[in-house]
Amino acid sequence: MVTFERFTLSNGLKVLVHEDHTTPMAVVNILYDVGARDENPGKTGFAHLFEHLMFGGSVNIPSYDEPLQRVGGENNAFTSNDITNYYITLPASNLETAFWLESDRMLSLAFSEKSLDVQRNVVSEEFKQRYLNQPYGDVWLKLRPLAYKEHSYRWATIGKELSHIEQASMEDVKAFFTRYYNPSNAVMVVGGDVKADEVHVLAEKWFGSIPAAEKPVRNIPQEPAQTEARKETIHADVPLNAIYIAFHMPDRNDSGYYETDLISDILSRGNSSRLFVSLIKNQKLFSEVNAYVTGSIDPGLFIIEGQIVDGVAVEDAEQAIWNELEKLKTERVPAEELTKVKNKIESTMVFAQMGLLDKAMNLAFFELLGDAGDLNSETERYLRVSAEDILKRAGSIFRRENSSTLLYLSNK
């Protein structure tokens, strides 16, 4: 059970406090309700670019890292298609430093052509190194637009194309900041060796005077139901042929999400999972194969991906995957197998509630989903899933017409 208190400042900033006096540390986690899905199709990659810009200093604090390092703190951030999340860990006795740093860049981030040039180049190099110049690196640049035709999940967090980052202007950046980086569009979680009443005082002191703004209203086009199988083949200089199959699945708040996530574990969690035993150990078709969900807030994707053993026909490898999916659609998962994957999920959730930063991040995310308190019933939602639920969900997802297949073939 993760306990917390909640209050909201007059400018709309939601604040959650989790007291944990077993540690001398504190964490300040700020989640902004903006991700790649909120971008203009002609100007993608901005959420990720902005994550970098947020460390370029604010009007009153030219160096973000320096004062934090002086008080023994560390920080980082990440961007997804749904959110941008920033966090600081530091000794609880220096908590106010984190409030000072975070409030100042929310209020008055420093915008300079020099900082924009530097971060544009950093992100452009990341795009090239991780997505363009690495074997299989551009998979998500190909697979997302194959699976999504309308929804803004059709581009990756890094962006649709390099030119969008290279051409990002100061005007574009300032407009993005004004729209999304305001108190009403953020959730702040403070955890560790802190007291709720003291956090309330600090929140009012450092964030209370930041002007209120309207929370952005989303108007994202919903993805229509897929009615026919899609397939694309790429030839590239990669060591092995590979296959990626994407299926549309329920959104993060739907009970179907938990059923689908359990299916991914049945298929590929550990060396006793179905895909490992059948496709790697017994049939020796794949050198590696995995199944996982994207975990998206809006309806996401269930992915199966694998690298095919040299000499194995791609058609045989692909059919072997479908054979395993057919079993899930026609045969109930044995009770022992379902219990095993549920136990693994339960242990994962327990460990996630042991780390201070994990707890803070999860509280922020569940508050964004609707209620941070739902974090405490997350495990139960997995445990309630029955073999019949798995059977029905597999039948609704694993249909040819719901599939988008990317074949990544080696030139050798």
Side-chain angles (χ1 to χ4, degrees):
M1 173 73 71
V2 181
T3 59
F4 64 93
E5 294 187 33
R6 179 197 287 117
F7 59 88
T8 304
L9 301 184
S10 60
N11 57 14
L13 178 66
K14 292 182 178 180
V15 183
L16 280 64
V17 185
H18 166 64
E19 295 189 21
D20 180 357
H21 302 292
T22 65
T23 172
M25 302 299 289
V27 60
V28 175
N29 188 92
I30 299 187
L31 181 156
Y32 287 93
D33 186 11
V34 56
R37 66 174 173 163
D38 297 296
E39 296 164 347
N40 182 313
K43 296 178 179 180
T44 62
F46 270 67
H48 178 241
L49 173 63
F50 218 89
E51 174 201 322
H52 286 256
L53 287 170
M54 283 287 278
F55 291 97
S58 55
V59 171
N60 301 306
I61 310 170
S63 171
Y64 179 87
D65 288 328
E66 187 178 321
L68 186 59
Q69 290 170 352
R70 284 205 302 265
V71 298
E74 297 180 349
N75 70 88
N76 214 326
F78 64 86
T79 311
S80 74
N81 285 75
D82 294 314
I83 64 172
T84 310
N85 193 85
Y86 302 85
Y87 57 89
I88 291 175
T89 57
L90 76 174
S93 56
N94 297 323
L95 178 64
E96 191 162 6
T97 299
F99 277 76
W100 169 56
L101 289 168
E102 289 296 343
S103 64
D104 202 63
R105 65 178 180 177
M106 181 187 286
L107 173 66
S108 51
L109 189 68
F111 293 101
S112 70
E113 288 293 348
K114 180 181 178 181
S115 176
L116 180 56
D117 284 343
V118 168
Q119 298 307 330
R120 229 178 357 218
N121 288 335
V122 168
V123 175
S124 294
E125 283 305 307
E126 180 183 346
F127 197 115
K128 293 173 187 175
Q129 290 178 15
R130 290 183 58 190
Y131 296 85
L132 301 182
N133 301 332
Q134 186 170 293
Y136 315 105
D138 61 350
V139 161
W140 282 104
L141 302 183
K142 305 288 187 182
L143 189 57
R144 280 189 175 275
L146 186 62
Y148 290 104
K149 298 303 179 184
E150 297 295 333
H151 195 285
S152 46
Y153 284 159
R154 65 185 184 273
W155 56 83
T157 305
I158 195 71
K160 280 168 66 175
E161 55 187 74
L162 185 57
S163 63
H164 290 183
I165 300 300
E166 293 174 332
Q167 296 168 11
S169 69
M170 181 62 71
E171 182 182 3
D172 294 333
V173 166
K174 286 184 175 180
F176 193 89
F177 180 79
T178 301
R179 179 170 175 79
Y180 295 109
Y181 279 73
N182 66 71
S184 67
N185 206 45
V187 178
M188 180 167 71
V189 177
V190 182
D193 191 17
V194 301
K195 294 182 179 178
D197 55 348
E198 294 174 356
V199 171
H200 203 151
V201 170
L202 288 173
E204 289 287 1
K205 175 182 177 180
W206 290 104
F207 289 89
S209 61
I210 298 177
E214 289 292 323
K215 183 173 176 59
V217 177
R218 283 193 173 87
N219 187 25
I220 296 174
Q222 294 307 295
E223 187 69 18
Q226 188 173 334
T227 57
E228 61 181 8
R230 300 167 185 159
K231 181 172 283 191
E232 182 177 334
T233 301
I234 299 171
H235 294 269
D237 293 325
V238 292
L240 294 170
N241 293 333
I243 184 170
Y244 302 82
I245 309 177
F247 300 89
H248 292 281
M249 60 168 282
D251 64 72
R252 190 60 179 75
N253 274 323
D254 192 293
S255 61
Y257 168 83
Y258 298 91
E259 298 160 3
T260 312
D261 197 23
L262 280 171
I263 290 173
S264 73
D265 281 4
I266 290 168
L267 286 174
S268 80
R269 185 167 184 173
N271 291 351
S272 62
S273 62
R274 294 190 177 194
L275 294 184
F276 184 90
V277 171
S278 177
L279 306 188
I280 296 178
K281 186 178 178 181
N282 293 343
Q283 299 184 62
K284 297 178 172 54
L285 299 174
F286 288 84
S287 60
E288 62 175 85
V289 63
N290 294 288
Y292 56 90
V293 301
T294 56
S296 307
I297 290 179
D298 290 343
L301 297 176
F302 182 102
I303 309 291
I304 297 179
E305 62 177 50
Q307 292 186 13
I308 304 168
V309 170
D310 221 357
V312 172
V314 173
E315 296 78 11
D316 292 342
E318 183 179 355
Q319 185 57 49
I321 291 176
W322 279 100
N323 291 344
E324 292 302 318
L325 299 182
E326 195 62 30
K327 292 176 187 175
L328 281 170
K329 294 167 60 177
T330 56
E331 304 169 12
R332 281 182 177 78
V333 176
E336 183 180 356
E337 185 179 13
L338 185 55
T339 298
K340 182 180 71 173
V341 295
K342 286 182 178 180
N343 288 343
K344 288 183 178 179
I345 285 279
E346 191 168 15
S347 64
T348 299
M349 301 295 291
V350 169
F351 280 117
Q353 291 189 11
M354 292 175 67
L356 181 59
L357 179 57
D358 285 340
K359 286 188 286 186
M361 286 183 177
N362 286 330
L363 284 171
F365 185 64
F366 275 83
E367 185 70 6
L368 181 67
L369 289 177
D371 183 359
D374 288 342
L375 172 60
N376 292 316
S377 60
E378 177 84 335
T379 301
E380 181 56 35
R381 297 188 73 174
Y382 282 105
L383 297 180
R384 283 202 300 262
V385 174
S386 68
E388 183 66 26
D389 294 330
I390 296 288
L391 190 71
K392 290 179 179 177
R393 186 58 55 188
S396 69
I397 292 178
F398 301 133
R399 296 173 289 110
R400 296 275 181 174
E401 64 270 25
N402 189 41
S403 69
S404 297
T405 303
L406 182 67
L407 300 179
Y408 215 119
L409 305 185
S410 174
N411 281 331
K412 69 176 185 178

